[in-house]
Amino acid sequence: MKKRHEQKLIILSIGLMIAFSIPVSLLFNSEKEIFGFPMLLVYLFAMWMLSIIISFVIVKKYDE
């Protein structure tokens, strides 16, 4: 894998550290529900799924 592709994954990791930090996660800690699930749980799983998809695209697209 080329250096710039590794850098994209490092940037993704730093972004996820920020997204999963307590202050940012607590922004979504409310009484609202989406399809019966708490907003915090929906946020955490959405970010997790998004990170998997972005990682997959980076690795597959730039796999050399």
Side-chain angles (χ1 to χ4, degrees), residues 1 12 18 27 29 31-32 41 43-44 47:
M1 190 178 309
L12 175 65
I18 293 169
L27 292 174
N29 191 15
E31 297 295 324
K32 295 181 182 178
L41 191 65
Y43 168 74
L44 292 176
M47 290 304 296

Side-chain angles (χ1 to χ4, degrees), residues 30-40 42:
S30 66
E31 297 295 324
K32 295 181 182 178
E33 293 184 351
I34 298 178
F35 299 115
F37 296 107
M39 189 69 162
L40 179 62
V42 172

Side-chain angles (χ1 to χ4, degrees), residues 1-63:
M1 190 178 309
K2 291 184 179 179
K3 185 76 169 172
R4 64 179 179 202
H5 309 315
E6 291 175 1
Q7 291 173 349
K8 289 178 184 178
L9 292 174
I10 290 171
I11 291 171
L12 175 65
S13 300
I14 293 170
L16 288 173
M17 283 187 351
I18 293 169
F20 287 130
S21 68
I22 296 298
V24 176
S25 294
L26 289 179
L27 292 174
F28 296 94
N29 191 15
S30 66
E31 297 295 324
K32 295 181 182 178
E33 293 184 351
I34 298 178
F35 299 115
F37 296 107
M39 189 69 162
L40 179 62
L41 191 65
V42 172
Y43 168 74
L44 292 176
F45 279 108
M47 290 304 296
W48 184 35
M49 182 60 75
L50 187 65
S51 70
I52 291 171
I53 292 170
I54 292 173
S55 299
F56 179 77
V57 168
I58 290 172
V59 170
K60 279 298 188 185
K61 185 175 182 183
Y62 302 112
D63 189 26

